[in-house]
Amino acid sequence: MFSKSCEYGLRAVIFIAQQSHLGHKASLTSISQAVDSPPAFTAKILQQLVKNNLIDSSKGPKGGFFMAPEAMKNLTLEAVVSVLDGDSIYTNCGLGLKQCNDKKPCPLHFKFVAIKEELQAMLQNTTLIMLVNEMNLDRFHLKR
Amino acid sequence: MFSKSCEYGLRAVIFIAQQSHLGHKASLTSISQAVDSPPAFTAKILQQLVKNNLIDSSKGPKGGFFMAPEAMKNLTLEAVVSVLDGDSIYTNCGLGLKQCNDKKPCPLHFKFVAIKEELQAMLQNTTLIMLVNEMNLDRFHLKR
DNA sequence: TCAATAAAGGACAATTTTATCCTATATTAA
DNA sequence: TTAATATAGGATAAAATTGTCCTTTATTGA
Ligand code: FES
Ligand code: FES
């Protein structure tokens, strides 16, 4: 469904949001331990998210990755996926045709479109703050 | 969503079904032209489908790939996906956790499950004969 | 029988994705 | 000011996916 980069990125962002909500910055080490992802690879992914202003970072001791409370309310999973995997998951043909549209559809086009729209809506409608609040219920996991 | 192998395989199977419905066998060459896929690679994919008895083949002049009318009624897209990509698309965690279940869910588990079940149902409920009949409407494409 | 045709299958090559390593740069606190 | 900590980023490396090439085997029709 998503690339490994995107999976790690989503898990990392959720963890960062949790920590930010508690007033902590999350170091690369703490993130990759919390979400069980390779540290150096995770660093690259987080760099992309910082560059695209989805999250913030600061160097030095006491540094790490974090999000402003404001950002947490506005940041959707869709934005994260968009930066890491692009919009191909919504716009590509499920059968791999070079273009996907209603004019020249593959035999499964309309069925795929319905599912892809549902996925996109779900990601667009889920903000980080929503997940953080749910996660407080302590039922949900980010590793294994 | 699917691997390239699976995309080519699905397109090829739909074309083979079309041709079989017309009483023709489909040669590798005709298939890879019709669905715009690399011939040698497509051959490997079709071999897998033959080995798993989803489609039939015969060697020699006038040989090619084909399906019995019976098979066409029973063969679902889900069966094709299952052989080529396994069931990972339905059973894997959307965030990449090693196991996906209700007991130890990731924060998106229940939302993902709904979408994955819809996809699976769609593939299970779509038989090749259904697609062939729709394709007769001549609105749908298998290349570009 | 023989030549042509077509799938089967093994070996290998290219590309993309995933992942690591190492150095540079910035920041903090003692 | 210095030592320690932490992100940034370039250069590679490993692994998985995608794709090609070539030989073998089977079948058909002349
Ligand atoms: S053309 Fe295939 S999903 Fe749209
Ligand atoms: S545990 Fe993540 S989708 Fe089920």
Side-chain angles (χ1 to χ4, degrees), chain A residues 2 7 11 36 77 94-98 104-108 111 115 118-119 126 135 140-142 144, chain B residues 2 7 11 36 77 94-98 104-108 111 115 118-119 126 135 140-142 144:
Chain A
F2 302 123
E7 289 175 355
R11 304 215 302 266
D36 193 31
L77 296 175
L95 294 187
L97 298 195
K98 286 184 185 107
K104 216 180 168 184
C106 75
L108 293 172
K111 296 173 183 193
I115 289 169
E118 201 179 338
L119 174 62
T126 308
M135 294 283 285
F140 296 108
H141 300 258
L142 284 174
R144 261 137 230 173
Chain B
F2 303 123
E7 289 175 355
R11 304 215 301 266
D36 193 33
L77 296 175
L95 294 187
L97 299 194
K98 287 188 185 103
K104 216 179 169 187
C106 74
L108 293 172
K111 296 174 183 194
I115 289 171
E118 200 178 338
L119 175 62
T126 308
M135 295 282 285
F140 297 109
H141 300 258
L142 286 173
R144 262 137 229 175

Side-chain angles (χ1 to χ4, degrees), chain B residues 45-84:
Chain B
I45 295 163
L46 294 174
Q47 277 172 38
Q48 284 186 74
L49 297 178
V50 169
K51 204 177 287 174
N52 285 273
N53 298 308
L54 302 198
I55 60 176
D56 287 310
S57 71
S58 62
K59 287 184 175 182
K62 301 281 174 185
F65 299 89
F66 61 96
M67 309 175 52
E70 263 309 292
M72 220 176 324
K73 282 177 203 150
N74 299 323
L75 182 57
T76 65
L77 296 175
E78 198 272 340
V80 177
V81 171
S82 176
V83 165
L84 298 177

Side-chain angles (χ1 to χ4, degrees), chain A residues 84-99:
Chain A
L84 298 177
D85 275 359
D87 61 356
S88 62
I89 206 173
Y90 320 124
T91 61
N92 278 6
C93 169
L95 294 187
L97 298 195
K98 286 184 185 107
Q99 39 188 0

Side-chain angles (χ1 to χ4, degrees), chain A residues 1 18 59 68 78-79 86 94 130 134:
Chain A
M1 186 164 235
Q18 270 186 319
K59 286 185 175 181
E78 198 273 340
M130 288 167 59
E134 282 180 20

Side-chain angles (χ1 to χ4, degrees), chain A residues 22-42:
Chain A
L22 299 172
H24 305 320
K25 284 175 191 157
S27 72
L28 176 62
T29 306
S30 73
I31 294 169
S32 54
Q33 275 170 5
V35 308
D36 193 31
S37 64
F41 192 51
T42 306

Side-chain angles (χ1 to χ4, degrees), chain A residues 101-107 109-110, chain B residues 134-142:
Chain A
N101 56 57
D102 294 4
K103 291 280 164 57
K104 216 180 168 184
C106 75
H109 174 74
F110 297 102
Chain B
E134 282 180 20
M135 295 282 285
N136 285 342
L137 298 175
D138 214 40
R139 288 187 52 213
F140 297 109
H141 300 258
L142 286 173

